[in-house]
Amino acid sequence: VNTSRSQTVDGPTGTAYILLFEDFDNAILLLGGANQAWAPEPLHAGLQVAISECVAVMLQREVPEHVNREVANAARKCGKPVIMDVGGTDAPVDVELLPHITMIAPNETELTFISGVATSVAGRPSLSLVRQAVSSLKARFSAAGNSDVEVLVTLGGMGAVHFASAWACGSDTAHETRVGTFPLGTPDGKPKDTTGAGDCFRGSFIAALYGRGNSVAAALTWAAAAASLSVEVEGAMPSMPTEKAIEARLLATPMKQFDEVA
């Protein structure tokens, strides 16, 4: 990660405490620290340059909402896609952001928080409920003047589904793209640590889609390979795989198809 454009402030840095559970899920307790200490006018010259030079802007919700609003507005003025990772809080998405978001990327639990629609049955994601939640979420975006938003939903061990901007309703599978998962290379075939897996998936997907120019299907497959590697290593940052490792997994390991049992 290139941190050359990062800034420092007086006071503690942000801290995250990771809670791991027996079912390989995790929860994160956040102390904002410096991440919450942004200036009232956050768009300094260096950030403006970064936005103008990038292929896409990814936002997350561990910074004040006014920062995301300013950055998203600047990015759209530059013609850059804006992707919102909704992790960091279970609060509703800022309504002032809705017109600027190109793609929103929750997991199934976060999708429930921001749509108001349950997405699981007996603790397992249900694709039919996920579709209902996406339909409700897209309706909120449409009401804010953004009917073209895309939705990328990660579903843990089931895989992930991308709902294109043209996706209209629960039966519109023509505008859905699904991806399964890759078998793990751990001795027992189970994850060692899922911390950061969603970040790895979303970051890899956006890098492949906008940076490499891949199709949605190819970008999803790339992201699935990357995320499978990330859960084989303990820790968040140490688990982020290299480009060569992702390519090797794609070549060596057949992907399991999307699991639609629920």
Side-chain angles (χ1 to χ4, degrees), residues 97-183:
L97 269 176
L98 300 186
H100 304 300
I101 295 174
T102 308
M103 184 188 305
I104 190 165
N107 61 28
E108 76 277 8
T109 303
E110 294 162 348
L111 179 58
T112 294
F113 288 148
I114 61 176
S115 71
V117 178
T119 55
S120 298
V121 175
R124 179 174 172 80
S126 162
L127 184 55
S128 62
L129 291 179
V130 167
R131 289 187 179 119
Q132 293 177 34
V134 170
S135 182
S136 174
L137 182 61
K138 283 179 69 72
R140 296 186 183 192
F141 274 86
S142 293
N146 182 0
S147 59
D148 295 327
V149 69
E150 303 170 40
V151 184
L152 172 64
V153 185
T154 51
L155 300 169
M158 285 177 63
V161 186
H162 174 269
F163 299 85
S165 60
W167 188 87
C169 62
S171 60
D172 183 12
T173 58
H175 294 101
E176 291 178 10
T177 307
R178 308 176 199 172
V179 69
T181 58
F182 282 83

